[in-house]
């Protein structure tokens, strides 16, 4: 199923027929290459440049187990585990605000290549964002140049990671390939990028207090897609949604910045960013039920299906019944609760960063409205926000980003 990249992916974006960048995937070796429609992903230095990128480390790191090994760990819910990551990231940002309030000052960093080549890398990231996340890209143009480039770099890494298990080469990806991708991530954070797109991210994480854990967790979400096609309860599903989407919020907040006048704690802002990722992914799941079922996947809590008198067989049959409508109403209600929580945090972001976030929130939430408009038929009808509604949402989101937080009504009233 398609993964919601928090604040960065247009809700109707498709991952089919996209670029590929996995070389020798049958051997589990994710090295960047260019394929059709992917000239923007030419990761080699331009002709005439002497710079060479470091080779990717090929050792396979230990796979960290996601299964609790003690009774105490088993008792910890997914939300509690994720909250520990939130606390760590918030602490880093709090430290950054104390030591360097101006987040747009570029410190000296040790990276291979020269400034011209690094600028080319960021430009390439911007091209990718403009091609595959048009609505969000427009919003990023309001950000300061440094923030804008950094968000593009994060977007590209997230998309490349998602493509590993949901792109044209997904059938050839193995756990070993993901292990090597994680090893390559470690090199990026050490300032040893493999290609120019890695270099943009390496520069970004050197400039901002972005913790590596959310990036690792996103890769773990890709591992979950390789080994799981059912989720026993919402606790399991919550962890999956965090891994594949909530992580992007934790990556992005340090770059987008918290408004200087904000009275909210960094923890509450990160918690809201996490909520938006969960809401977006839950919306993706509800939109794609039929598509996922045709791939033998059910991303719905099994215990809640049983309580509603439903089973996988009902989903594979694809019939809209009163039981199904009642079940979907409860799932939609949950997703909207996460959107409501997320909205409270957007007001605390740096003013220049709010528009793309509001646009994403508004457009994704409208997908839930479309599911209802389709009489809860998400088996054969794909809920989507048409172009006219998208265009109408942009000025609403922009106006919303300018209103002082004390005067803001809920987005649902606009």
């Amino acid at each position: 199923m398609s993964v919601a990249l928090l604040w960065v992916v247009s809700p109707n974006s498709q991952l089919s027929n996209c670029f590929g960048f996995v070389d020798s995937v049958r051997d589990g070796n994710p090295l960047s290459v260019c394929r059709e429609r992917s000239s923007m992903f030419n990761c080699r230095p331009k002709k005439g440049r002497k710079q060479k990128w470091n080779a990717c480390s090929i050792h396979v790191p230990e796979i960290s187990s996601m299964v609790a090994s003690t009774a105490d760990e088993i008792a910890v819910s997914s939300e509690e585990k994720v909250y520990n990551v939130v606390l760590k990231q918030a602490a880093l940002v709090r430290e950054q605000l104390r030591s360097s309030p101006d987040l747009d000052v570029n410190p000296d960093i040790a990276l291979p290549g020269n400034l011209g080549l690094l600028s080319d890398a960021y430009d390439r990231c911007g091209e990718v964002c403009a091609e595959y996340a048009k609505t969000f890209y427009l919003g990023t143009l309001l950000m300061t140049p440094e923030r804008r480039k950094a968000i593009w770099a994060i977007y590209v890494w997230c998309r490349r990671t998602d493509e590993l298990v949901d792109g044209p080469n997904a059938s050839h990806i193995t756990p070993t390939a993901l292990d090597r991708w994680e090893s390559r991530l470690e090199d990026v954070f050490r300032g040893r990028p493999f290609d120019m797109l890695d270099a943009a991210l390496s520069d970004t994480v050197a400039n901002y207090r972005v913790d590596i854990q959310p990036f690792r967790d996103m890769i773990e979400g890709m591992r979950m897609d390789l080994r799981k096609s059912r989720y026993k309860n919402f606790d399991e599903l919550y962890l999956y949604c965090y891994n594949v989407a909530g992580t992007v919020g934790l990556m992005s907040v340090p770059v987008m910045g918290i408004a200087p006048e904000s009275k909210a704690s960094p923890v509450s802002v990160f918690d809201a960013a996490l909520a938006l990722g969960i809401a977006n992914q839950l919306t993706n799941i509800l939109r794609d039920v039929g598509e996922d079922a045709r791939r033998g996947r059910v991303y719905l809590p099994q215990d809640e299906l049983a309580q509603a008198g439903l089973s996988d067989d009902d989903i594979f049959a694809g019939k809209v019944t009163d039981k199904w409508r009642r079940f979907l109403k409860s799932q939609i209600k949950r997703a909207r609760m996460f959107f409501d929580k997320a909205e409270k945090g957007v007001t605390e972001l740096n003013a220049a960063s709010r528009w793309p976030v509001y646009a994403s929130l508004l457009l994704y939430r409208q997908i839930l409205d479309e599911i209802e408009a389709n009489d809860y038929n998400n088996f054969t009808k794909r809920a989507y926000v048409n172009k006219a509604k998208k265009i109408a949402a942009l000025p609403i989101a922009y106006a919303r980003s300018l209103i002082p937080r004390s005067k803001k009504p809920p987005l649902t009233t606009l």
Side-chain angles (χ1 to χ4, degrees):
M1 65 180 303
S2 60
V3 169
L5 298 183
L6 174 62
W7 300 350
V8 290
V9 175
S10 168
N12 297 322
S13 65
Q14 298 295 307
L15 293 179
S16 60
N17 300 321
C18 291
F19 47 79
F21 60 92
V22 182
D23 189 14
S24 303
V25 289
R26 290 173 179 80
D27 298 323
N29 186 15
L31 300 181
S32 294
V33 297
C34 302
R35 298 190 188 280
E36 57 179 320
R37 295 190 62 206
S38 62
S39 59
M40 67 182 68
F41 272 80
N42 179 7
C43 300
R44 298 178 176 82
K46 290 184 177 179
K47 188 174 183 180
R49 296 266 172 87
K50 295 182 179 180
Q51 175 60 41
K52 293 183 180 180
W53 302 106
N54 292 341
C56 179
S57 174
I58 61 172
H59 72 278
V60 180
E62 264 190 8
I63 302 175
S64 59
S65 174
M66 294 297 293
V67 181
S69 58
T70 68
D72 288 340
E73 289 176 323
I74 293 174
V76 177
S77 71
S78 294
E79 289 191 52
E80 290 173 304
K81 293 175 184 176
V82 171
Y83 193 62
N84 289 332
V85 182
V86 171
L87 290 175
K88 182 179 180 182
Q89 183 64 81
L92 288 172
V93 168
R94 191 181 297 112
E95 180 184 343
Q96 182 178 35
L97 291 172
R98 289 172 181 167
S99 61
S100 179
D102 186 355
L103 300 184
D104 294 323
V105 174
N106 228 354
D108 292 331
I109 57 172
L111 278 176
N114 53 45
L115 291 179
L117 195 56
L118 189 58
S119 177
D120 290 343
Y122 276 120
D123 288 344
R124 191 66 53 79
C125 290
E127 291 171 4
V128 177
C129 189
E131 175 70 16
Y132 297 101
K134 295 180 177 64
T135 301
F136 179 79
Y137 175 78
L138 290 175
T140 63
L141 298 181
L142 292 180
M143 296 180 181
T144 61
E146 295 303 325
R147 294 181 195 271
R148 178 167 62 237
K149 293 188 300 182
I151 287 295
W152 291 345
I154 291 173
Y155 167 79
V156 167
W157 185 88
C158 291
R159 188 170 186 90
R160 295 171 93 187
T161 301
D162 183 52
E163 283 286 288
L164 286 171
V165 299
D166 216 6
N169 294 303
S171 61
H172 303 299
I173 291 297
T174 65
T176 299
L178 293 177
D179 291 341
R180 288 174 174 166
W181 185 247
E182 184 168 359
S183 177
R184 178 165 158 174
L185 172 69
E186 301 280 351
D187 286 338
V188 166
F189 271 76
R190 295 187 187 105
R192 299 202 297 267
F194 173 73
D195 61 27
M196 68 186 306
L197 300 177
D198 283 352
L201 181 62
S202 194
D203 184 53
T204 291
V205 301
N207 290 340
Y208 299 89
R209 296 292 178 89
V210 182
D211 186 44
I212 194 174
Q213 192 59 48
F215 294 82
R216 289 173 175 152
D217 291 342
M218 177 172 278
I219 296 173
E220 181 60 34
M222 304 304 113
R223 292 190 181 103
M224 292 176 76
D225 262 332
L226 291 183
R227 66 174 182 255
K228 285 179 71 73
S229 60
R230 301 291 188 280
Y231 293 84
K232 293 189 300 184
N233 50 44
F234 183 69
D235 188 67
E236 283 194 2
L237 186 62
Y238 178 90
L239 183 60
Y240 172 75
C241 290
Y242 158 71
N243 282 336
V244 301
T247 49
V248 190
L250 305 190
M251 300 172 193
S252 303
V253 170
V255 175
M256 290 188 163
I258 299 174
E261 68 276 11
S262 172
K263 303 298 183 183
S265 68
V267 171
S268 67
V269 179
F270 276 96
D271 208 29
L274 170 63
L276 183 52
I278 301 296
N280 284 354
Q281 190 61 26
L282 289 175
T283 299
N284 269 354
I285 288 169
L286 297 177
R287 180 194 63 193
D288 297 339
V289 167
E291 178 182 327
D292 291 331
R294 288 187 283 277
R295 299 168 60 189
R297 293 181 170 272
V298 177
Y299 290 89
L300 296 167
Q302 292 289 310
D303 60 342
E304 295 178 22
L305 280 170
Q307 290 167 12
L310 297 165
S311 68
D312 289 355
D313 290 339
D314 295 296
I315 294 175
F316 296 141
K319 293 182 179 180
V320 179
T321 62
D322 288 340
K323 285 183 180 180
W324 180 249
R325 291 186 183 93
R326 285 193 295 270
F327 173 76
L328 270 196
K329 286 178 182 179
S330 68
Q331 300 300 307
I332 289 173
K333 181 179 179 181
R334 173 187 281 150
R336 283 178 173 148
M337 288 174 59
F338 278 101
F339 277 124
D340 291 343
K341 182 177 181 179
E343 186 180 346
K344 296 174 183 177
V346 182
T347 61
E348 309 299 340
L349 291 175
N350 183 286
S353 302
R354 293 174 195 155
W355 185 29
V357 182
Y358 270 126
S360 173
L361 192 155
L362 185 58
L363 290 172
Y364 253 96
R365 188 150 62 183
Q366 286 183 1
I367 293 176
L368 299 176
D369 300 335
E370 297 299 326
I371 294 174
E372 293 172 332
N374 288 341
D375 192 28
Y376 303 96
N377 181 1
N378 49 4
F379 298 118
T380 60
K381 293 183 178 180
R382 182 180 175 86
Y384 69 96
V385 181
N386 63 40
K387 189 173 183 179
K389 290 182 178 179
K390 280 186 180 181
I391 293 173
L394 292 179
I396 294 175
Y398 181 66
R400 179 77 178 177
S401 69
L402 300 178
I403 301 174
R405 67 182 300 272
S406 60
K407 299 181 180 179
K408 288 181 180 176
L411 269 175
T412 50
T413 67
L414 296 178

